[in-house]
Amino acid sequence: MGGAGGMGGRGRTGRPGARSAVEWLVSVAPDPDACRWEWERGPLGVALLPAGRRWDVLILPGELGRTTLDVLNRRVERPGPVLADFGDARVGFFVPAGTAARWLGTGVRGAGRGSWIVVPHPGRASGGVRWLVPPDGRGTLTDPALLELAMHEAAAGLAGEGEERGE
């Protein structure tokens, strides 16, 4: 996710990198000032951002997505940004632009060029969507091949748990 500078200083949130993460995210917005306004003053604290410019999002069902993130966290120091929505029903992994158009996978939805994603401020929680892994401001994305391997491992683990419970 090649992006806006390094980790940057501390933003208004006091979290290192939050300001550079904001700049990286708004770099894809048609109107960066309107995006910032929505985060700062909008009633929901979220903004709509277009996918397919710097990143796509692969959206997994909640349990598979959370387990996949657990596997990724054991494999890499830090995956790319990851969002969860209402009650963790869906988990979205930020991957390189163009990935969604090439992705084939049952139960996985892709948001690429022509799609819009609801994105909270990287330094704050919002009502309906939250960061499980916030953007780092450097443009780090999850490698799609690594994500696929983690998904397979997660699915196998979930299938094994289901068999143990007699499902």
Side-chain angles (χ1 to χ4, degrees), residues 4-11 15-21 136-138:
M7 289 301 286
R10 293 182 183 269
R15 213 182 90 227
R19 183 174 48 223
S20 57
D136 62 8
R138 295 179 308 195

Side-chain angles (χ1 to χ4, degrees), residues 45-141:
V46 297
L48 279 175
L49 292 177
R53 293 185 180 175
R54 290 188 184 259
W55 40 262
D56 287 354
V57 180
L58 294 179
I59 304 164
L60 284 59
E63 187 174 19
L64 176 60
R66 288 186 308 277
T67 306
T68 297
L69 180 56
D70 290 343
V71 172
L72 278 174
N73 281 330
R74 290 192 305 266
R75 303 282 183 263
V76 296
E77 184 176 323
R78 187 181 198 288
V82 181
L83 284 173
D85 75 352
F86 311 98
D88 292 347
R90 291 181 296 257
V91 177
F93 293 83
F94 281 53
V95 294
T99 300
R102 298 184 306 271
W103 192 269
L104 299 174
T106 304
V108 177
R109 291 189 0 226
R113 186 163 296 283
S115 301
W116 293 75
I117 299 294
V118 174
V119 179
H121 186 285
R124 296 185 199 104
S126 79
V129 64
R130 65 188 174 94
W131 291 106
L132 297 177
V133 179
D136 62 8
R138 295 179 308 195
T140 302
L141 296 169

